[in-house]
Amino acid sequence: MKMWSGRFRQMLDPQFERWQRSFEFDRRLLKYELAASGAHAHALKNAGILSADELISVLEGLQRIGEMAAASNGLVDDDEAEDVHHFVEKQLVGRIGELGYKLHSGRSRNEQIATDLRLYVRAAIDELRKELAEVCLAFTDRAERAGNAAMPAYTHLQHAEPVLVGHWLLAYVEMFLRDAERLADCRKRVNVCPLGSGAVAGATLPLDRAFMAEELEFGGPTGNSIDATSDRDFVLEFVNTLSLLSLHLSRWAEEMIIFSSQEFGFVQLPEAYSTGSSAMPQKKNPDLLELVRGKTGRVIGSATALTITLKGLPLAYNKDLQETQEPLFDAADTAFALLPQVTGWMKAVEFDQGRMNEAAQAGFMNAWAAATYLVNRGVPSRVAHEQIGKAVKLCLEKNCELQDLTLKELRVLNPVFDESFQDCLKLRSVLAIHDVVGGTAPERVRQGIAVARKKIESLREEVDLHAHA
Ligand code: ARG
């Protein structure tokens, strides 16, 4: 039976009827639809609409639908179902007869889809946070393994100052930990239950909304039925968070691609994650990285599609909202697929530390340290900057580095230079002067690694807690 044919005099245009369906994509919500239907059935029993026996039959029917879906790997099929809600109703009636139609008492698909989507997003957040912890761990392990190896840090993609390789890798950990935190924050607003909101004005039966929310492990019921049935902020917020996450991954991928080019040679592409060229025999291409960068466009595209779908909608439910599902699923699927790839790549990659170290010592990257040497001897910073700038100019003329200038040459610029200047120019010293929290001095980087490990540990604990909740 259709869910709404009573008032219609004409048949639907068959092409339109097929086209307006959502079952093809919302069938993946079946698990959540069944859980939400179970909670609603309990509430119906408490409201006196279902008898105790009827409740048992309904719950058994729902359970059997779940088992059937599990056996077919979740890929349930039905040539007539309009959407996942219709599918469950048809299946239930097929199994327990007319009683199946009672389940829809006092509820609307508008609250159902809002509930299913919240359950889906909540589970996706928990899963993604788990994957993010693995990504962070892979980066942190590599940071630790890099020990005291140094590399150039860039500003404007020009040599800036030397840093520890570990320090550079921890920068990415910071981004991913923020992503994990943003997901957790988003989860708070996801975790409320629309059940009992009805079509727009609230349930027509005295359903215990707090009870239903608790059954589904939501923090509580939503506060306003009009908002609850029309709100997809949580979808947009989630996908926006994913677009920022994938943007971070894309920046990472871009940097790795640059560093793996022959010109840099810092990164040796892992063969297990690269491909060759069908034409040029010598090629090893950074496909994984390029796809990561490419997929980012897709996630950002989903976020944009959602924003535009929502922007002109009057309250409350409109069928346009059905269009929010596919971008949501696509963005989540894309992120799910990306993260383990990134973890695998980071575990497999080799850094050419010799080359990085060498690059860290060329191109006047100790110039700011040199100016600091003067500052520590009472020279005003602007003057010190100017004098080291002149020293660099001299080096450029002589085609050498600061450490190659003689004391005599230096003393022309400022008589305070003495033998100790040589030591301050050494890579070891340049790294060591950045001795502040979050700086690249080796001890600070070790601290950074320890802090990252702690945060990853608590991220894992939080995720486990939700998994067992
Ligand atoms: N398939 C619909 C959707 O995803 C379910 C809600 C339908 N509600 C309605 N009033 N037509 O949005």
Side-chain angles (χ1 to χ4, degrees):
M1 195 198 274
K2 275 219 159 308
M3 292 175 289
W4 40 260
S5 53
R7 60 94 70 208
F8 279 75
R9 285 167 298 188
Q10 276 183 14
M11 294 289 284
L12 283 195
D13 174 88
Q15 268 185 355
F16 165 69
E17 198 283 321
R18 282 211 152 262
W19 178 71
Q20 57 90 44
R21 293 183 192 179
S22 53
F23 186 59
E24 199 179 305
F25 47 86
D26 69 14
R27 61 184 171 170
R28 63 193 286 164
L29 297 173
L30 179 62
K31 170 169 140 192
Y32 308 114
E33 173 71 9
L34 292 173
S37 293
H40 179 72
H42 277 288
L44 283 179
K45 146 83 179 40
N46 294 343
I49 302 294
L50 291 180
S51 70
D53 286 348
E54 286 175 329
L55 173 64
I56 291 170
S57 304
V58 168
L59 293 179
E60 277 175 4
L62 293 174
Q63 192 183 343
R64 273 188 278 133
I65 300 171
E67 285 161 5
M68 181 249 326
S72 62
N73 233 345
L75 269 184
V76 286
D77 246 325
D78 182 325
D79 216 33
E80 283 163 9
E82 181 173 323
D83 54 25
V84 68
H85 322 294
H86 187 206
F87 174 78
V88 170
E89 183 171 284
K90 283 181 66 204
Q91 287 286 330
L92 196 59
V93 170
R95 281 156 213 270
I96 66 172
E98 287 265 311
L99 167 62
Y101 289 131
K102 278 201 177 182
L103 180 59
H104 206 58
S105 313
R107 75 171 177 175
S108 154
R109 285 183 294 157
N110 299 353
E111 62 182 301
Q112 284 171 257
I113 187 60
T115 306
D116 296 356
L117 286 175
R118 283 178 184 276
L119 289 170
Y120 168 85
V121 172
R122 189 177 70 182
I125 287 177
D126 293 344
E127 193 54 39
L128 284 167
R129 293 184 83 226
K130 196 162 137 194
E131 289 298 334
L132 269 174
E134 295 314 304
V135 172
C136 289
L137 194 62
F139 274 74
T140 307
D141 285 345
R142 292 311 302 248
E144 182 148 21
R145 260 174 64 189
N148 283 341
M151 65 183 289
Y154 300 82
T155 63
H156 312 267
L157 207 55
Q158 306 286 323
H159 271 190
E161 292 183 278
V163 291
L164 287 193
V165 172
H167 194 54
W168 166 61
L169 293 173
L170 286 178
Y172 286 106
V173 176
E174 291 287 315
M175 299 181 209
F176 300 138
L177 285 173
R178 281 201 297 276
D179 293 322
E181 210 175 292
R182 245 186 298 276
L183 284 170
D185 188 56
C186 171
R187 193 185 193 282
K188 293 182 209 156
R189 286 173 291 282
V190 170
N191 202 26
V192 283
C193 185
L195 286 190
S197 298
V200 61
T204 52
L205 296 170
L207 303 177
D208 184 344
R209 297 199 60 213
F211 166 83
M212 290 191 284
E214 206 172 309
E215 279 281 287
L216 297 169
E217 290 166 10
F218 279 115
T222 48
N224 178 294
S225 62
I226 304 174
D227 177 55
T229 48
S230 74
D231 176 26
R232 294 294 183 273
D233 289 3
F234 64 97
V235 173
L236 182 55
E237 208 179 329
F238 172 63
V239 175
N240 273 332
T241 302
L242 294 189
S243 71
L244 189 41
L245 160 63
S246 54
L247 185 147
H248 290 151
L249 290 173
S250 183
R251 290 185 71 176
W252 164 79
E254 169 67 6
E255 189 155 74
M256 292 293 167
I257 291 169
I258 294 177
F259 285 173
S260 72
S261 72
Q262 285 68 24
E263 282 65 27
F264 276 86
F266 292 174
V267 167
Q268 285 165 16
L269 294 172
E271 293 196 2
Y273 291 94
S274 309
T275 65
S277 154
S278 59
M280 296 166 281
Q282 85 284 9
K283 291 296 290 286
K284 182 169 69 167
N285 294 327
D287 293 46
L288 179 139
L289 302 167
E290 291 168 313
L291 280 175
V292 167
R293 193 176 55 187
K295 301 266 184 205
T296 299
R298 188 174 170 142
V299 179
I300 295 171
S302 294
T304 308
L306 285 168
T307 310
I308 295 171
T309 303
L310 295 174
K311 82 169 259 301
L313 292 188
L315 293 174
Y317 178 83
N318 298 272
K319 186 100 168 190
D320 315 43
L321 291 178
Q322 187 167 287
E323 283 298 303
T324 60
Q325 293 186 39
E326 284 169 293
L328 164 65
F329 297 146
D330 192 68
D333 288 344
T334 305
F336 279 133
L338 276 179
L339 294 179
Q341 298 286 340
V342 173
T343 303
W345 194 95
M346 271 313 280
K347 285 183 179 165
V349 68
E350 286 303 330
F351 297 115
D352 188 335
Q353 294 190 349
R355 196 157 164 147
M356 290 167 119
N357 223 57
E358 207 176 293
Q361 297 179 73
F364 310 108
M365 279 194 294
N366 47 11
W368 197 8
T372 305
Y373 170 91
L374 293 176
V375 167
N376 283 331
R377 279 156 186 76
V379 182
S381 152
R382 193 50 59 223
V383 175
H385 186 286
E386 186 67 17
Q387 289 172 347
I388 297 298
K390 290 210 166 99
V392 169
K393 190 158 82 181
L394 184 60
C395 289
L396 288 171
E397 283 158 19
K398 295 181 60 182
N399 192 21
C400 66
E401 292 280 335
L402 286 171
Q403 48 272 37
D404 302 320
L405 295 179
T406 63
L407 254 189
K408 205 169 141 216
E409 286 167 320
L410 289 162
R411 284 193 170 140
V412 174
L413 297 168
N414 191 326
V416 307
F417 281 111
D418 64 25
E419 288 75 17
S420 61
F421 183 58
Q422 275 300 329
D423 195 55
C424 100
L425 297 177
K426 296 212 164 78
L427 176 61
R428 177 177 39 78
S429 319
V430 179
L431 291 166
I433 59 166
H434 296 85
D435 188 16
V436 290
V437 174
T440 202
E443 198 40 49
R444 298 300 187 167
V445 174
R446 276 190 282 280
Q447 259 176 26
I449 291 172
V451 171
R453 287 205 187 283
K454 270 216 183 88
K455 288 185 180 169
I456 295 167
E457 207 34 59
S458 43
L459 174 55
R460 281 174 145 180
E461 278 167 19
E462 276 172 46
V463 170
D464 279 348
L465 209 69
H466 285 142
H468 300 133

